[in-house]
Amino acid sequence: MTLPSGPLAVSDLHTTNGTRRNSTLICAPVMAESVDQMLVQMRKAREVGADLVEIRLDFLKNFSPRQDLEILIKHSPLPTLFTYRPAWEGGQYKGDDNKRQDALHLAMELGADYIDVELQVAHDFYNSIQGEKPEKVKIIVSSHNYQKTPSTEEIGDLVARIQATGADIVKIATTALDITDSARVFQVLVHSQVPMIGLVMGEKGLISRVLSAKYGAFLTFGTIEAGVVSAPGQPTVKDLLDLYNFRLIGPDTKVHGVIGNPIGHSKSPHLYNAAFKSINFNGIYLPLLVDSVANFINTYNSPDFVGYSFTIPHKESGLKCCDEIDPKAKEIGAVNCMIRRPTDGKLLGYNVDYLGAIAAIEEGLQALNGSSNTSGSLLAGKLFVVMGAGGAGKALAYGGKEKGARVVVANRTYDKAKALANKVGGEAITLAELENFHPEDGMVLANTTSVGMKPRTDQTPISKKALKHYSLVFDAIYTPKWTRLLQEAQESGAAVVSGTEMLLNQAFVQIENFSGVPAPKQLIRDVLARNT
């Protein structure tokens, strides 16, 4: 599916710092059991930067319509959207539906800015008010699908049905079974002839909530506090504004992201979005929870989807989706960076993992040796043990070979270790054998497996007693920054290098590749320090 897009031009890529580039509103759901608690949440919503509040009447205990609505409308510091969601549409209300609709009618009379009415009862509601709608109020007619995201045609038909009710604003909320589901909503959203809210719920639908600004949605939802959501997958208002630079997203904003599974732990969006804003680059960088790289690339194939980083487990799958591959990436057999060439749309694959990781290890060895060593790499001649034979393992093994190290590949399955070792002229062993592998002291160890990554931070890929034979231990994991492996290596007397150094080094390279502008290195270091 090709998403609508204009051609990429140099003039598209830069924007004035601080300029608002879209009219999409940020709405904060208010879901408290009392009116007083709701008023507190409303004030917080204004403080964090929301444009309006959605007051979820179905969460109130002992709701007294006239009294409570008057207080909420009179004292709200922001424009109000009233929703009284019934259980049959995913809400909390289980009472008489006529009373529910009467409360929404009353909210209109008392000065609400917006009310939300479900498609299933929209005709009844419009008949009941008999055209007596205050000019100020806008009626949102909504449809929620908690099972899936229908086809583009079905969504289009649904929008037409909602428009036919007389809705001022159309709202469609579906559920993401795959990250590609959002493309169908974007397709309808960008062609809508009336104001439309189009969202895809769930972690795989996050892209729809952030890029709603790019495709012209009337509003998106952001929570006041992390984890307190009115629908699955909602980001916070703070993240929308500060992490994703929501106000700076426009129709011509270029989309980048990190492709992985899992991906929620990634710090890359913090680094790249801060850098893009700093250099006035008109781009957004998203965490992309992808099951199939090929499906993702084939779906989001417009010229506006221009650059990706790859992490576990998709570095090798990414290679297969490239039209052209850098020779070093081809030799490694994995990519961690993909760029769409603007002239012809071809996808170019690179691997900067080995640059970032090897540079970090060399810096660690220099600190250990107390020298800058200008005559060559301090890895030269070292026995360099790489744990893992996936994409990152291949990059480290290749980098070690290039620097003159004697490479040993340790992997859970011997065949994969052997295949990689053969490529770099090294030795292969299993991870189990690594426990008693110490032909010499002063070896260098690099972990590229996911063992020890958040949330399983109590795990480690090698026992503490086996670490005493290493002079330096590097862990590609950066969540947490100090893994159990690094802590135990340090206790065993080894120098340690965190995956944050690899993350930084490769971020510098990729940001320049994406933007064409030198990366603001100190800013990126400062951002990472604040987020680890």
Side-chain angles (χ1 to χ4, degrees), residues 61-118:
K61 305 294 184 188
N62 305 314
F63 176 42
S64 301
R66 181 167 292 275
Q67 177 184 333
D68 292 348
L69 289 170
E70 283 182 343
I71 294 171
L72 290 166
I73 291 168
K74 181 179 178 182
H75 294 286
S76 176
L78 292 170
T80 54
L81 158 58
F82 283 90
T83 298
Y84 202 179
R85 191 75 73 214
W88 49 260
E89 187 83 355
Q92 304 288 312
Y93 182 74
K94 296 178 181 176
D96 179 74
D97 210 66
N98 289 325
K99 289 182 179 179
R100 186 180 71 85
Q101 292 185 43
D102 287 345
L104 290 173
H105 191 183
L106 183 59
M108 288 198 309
E109 292 176 4
L110 294 173
D113 297 283
Y114 307 91
I115 64 162
D116 182 306
V117 179
E118 298 76 22

Side-chain angles (χ1 to χ4, degrees), residues 76-295:
S76 176
L78 292 170
T80 54
L81 158 58
F82 283 90
T83 298
Y84 202 179
R85 191 75 73 214
W88 49 260
E89 187 83 355
Q92 304 288 312
Y93 182 74
K94 296 178 181 176
D96 179 74
D97 210 66
N98 289 325
K99 289 182 179 179
R100 186 180 71 85
Q101 292 185 43
D102 287 345
L104 290 173
H105 191 183
L106 183 59
M108 288 198 309
E109 292 176 4
L110 294 173
D113 297 283
Y114 307 91
I115 64 162
D116 182 306
V117 179
E118 298 76 22
L119 174 60
Q120 188 172 321
V121 296
H123 284 294
D124 291 343
F125 185 81
Y126 274 101
N127 288 337
S128 72
I129 64 175
Q130 298 178 332
E132 295 177 7
K133 179 172 82 74
E135 190 175 338
K136 171 192 173 185
V137 72
K138 302 294 183 187
I139 297 178
I140 300 169
V141 176
S142 61
S143 172
H144 298 76
N145 187 324
Y146 291 97
Q147 283 72 49
K148 63 177 183 177
T149 298
S151 68
T152 307
E153 294 72 21
E154 288 173 306
I155 297 171
D157 290 344
L158 190 56
V159 169
R161 283 176 55 205
I162 293 176
Q163 284 182 253
T165 66
D168 297 302
I169 300 164
V170 171
K171 179 185 176 186
I172 302 283
T174 67
T175 297
L177 303 180
D178 189 87
I179 194 169
T180 57
D181 291 349
S182 291
R184 301 199 284 281
V185 172
F186 293 152
Q187 187 83 350
V188 175
L189 186 60
V190 81
H191 288 115
S192 178
Q193 300 302 303
V194 297
M196 180 176 166
I197 303 162
L199 297 169
V200 185
M201 297 179 285
E203 187 182 0
K204 292 176 181 176
L206 174 67
I207 188 173
S208 75
R209 298 182 180 276
V210 179
L211 293 184
S212 58
K214 177 176 174 63
Y215 293 106
F218 181 75
L219 64 77
T220 193
F221 291 91
T223 66
I224 300 167
E225 297 177 33
V228 185
V229 301
S230 63
Q234 286 175 350
T236 63
V237 174
K238 186 177 188 304
D239 277 353
L240 284 171
L241 292 172
D242 298 343
L243 171 55
Y244 297 116
N245 303 324
F246 190 80
R247 304 293 192 212
L248 301 182
I249 299 172
D252 53 355
T253 295
K254 306 307 170 191
V255 182
H256 312 72
V258 54
I259 291 175
N261 192 344
I263 201 60
H265 66 282
S266 178
K267 302 299 181 188
S268 294
H270 292 272
L271 309 186
Y272 288 70
N273 286 317
F276 287 173
K277 183 178 182 181
S278 170
I279 61 179
N280 295 333
F281 176 70
N282 185 9
I284 178 74
Y285 189 97
L286 297 162
L288 302 169
L289 180 58
V290 171
D291 294 320
S292 165
V293 175
N295 286 349

Side-chain angles (χ1 to χ4, degrees), residues 2-62:
T2 301
L3 295 174
S5 163
L8 177 65
V10 174
S11 60
D12 290 336
L13 299 181
H14 296 272
T15 186
T16 306
N17 228 344
T19 301
R20 181 162 184 163
R21 306 188 68 251
N22 66 73
S23 60
T24 303
L25 304 173
I26 297 176
C27 181
V30 170
M31 304 168 295
E33 295 186 352
S34 74
V35 169
D36 287 343
Q37 290 172 331
M38 282 190 165
L39 293 174
V40 170
Q41 289 186 14
M42 288 175 179
R43 289 192 287 271
K44 285 184 181 176
R46 183 180 63 177
E47 288 168 10
V48 298
D51 297 304
L52 71 158
V53 286
E54 180 190 35
I55 299 166
R56 287 292 300 267
L57 297 174
D58 49 306
F59 278 82
L60 283 173
K61 305 294 184 188
N62 305 314

Side-chain angles (χ1 to χ4, degrees), residues 237-432:
V237 174
K238 186 177 188 304
D239 277 353
L240 284 171
L241 292 172
D242 298 343
L243 171 55
Y244 297 116
N245 303 324
F246 190 80
R247 304 293 192 212
L248 301 182
I249 299 172
D252 53 355
T253 295
K254 306 307 170 191
V255 182
H256 312 72
V258 54
I259 291 175
N261 192 344
I263 201 60
H265 66 282
S266 178
K267 302 299 181 188
S268 294
H270 292 272
L271 309 186
Y272 288 70
N273 286 317
F276 287 173
K277 183 178 182 181
S278 170
I279 61 179
N280 295 333
F281 176 70
N282 185 9
I284 178 74
Y285 189 97
L286 297 162
L288 302 169
L289 180 58
V290 171
D291 294 320
S292 165
V293 175
N295 286 349
F296 176 85
I297 297 296
N298 291 336
T299 300
Y300 296 102
N301 59 3
S302 88
D304 276 2
F305 284 73
V306 297
Y308 307 110
S309 311
F310 287 82
T311 188
I312 294 171
H314 290 319
K315 293 172 188 279
E316 292 159 291
S317 299
L319 183 86
K320 298 171 185 174
C321 295
C322 295
D323 298 307
E324 297 177 19
I325 304 165
D326 179 77
K328 288 180 179 176
K330 187 176 288 187
E331 185 170 348
I332 293 168
V335 298
N336 80 317
C337 180
M338 178 188 283
I339 296 172
R340 187 183 302 279
R341 188 162 54 203
T343 53
D344 59 9
K346 297 286 188 184
L347 295 170
L348 315 179
Y350 302 89
N351 194 309
V352 297
D353 268 342
Y354 82 100
L355 294 175
I358 296 299
I361 291 168
E362 287 180 323
E363 288 163 9
L365 288 172
Q366 286 172 5
L368 186 63
N369 283 267
S371 69
S372 58
N373 191 62
T374 56
S375 60
S377 173
L378 285 172
L379 263 176
K382 288 273 189 184
L383 196 61
F384 182 42
V385 179
V386 178
M387 287 191 287
K394 289 176 179 178
L396 267 291
Y398 173 87
K401 172 197 172 188
E402 192 177 60
K403 296 294 185 177
R406 294 171 288 137
V407 178
V408 175
V409 180
N411 193 59
R412 186 170 54 83
T413 55
Y414 178 78
D415 287 348
K416 283 192 74 174
K418 184 64 176 171
L420 177 54
N422 287 343
K423 287 180 69 175
V424 297
E427 182 182 347
I429 59 174
T430 64
L431 283 175

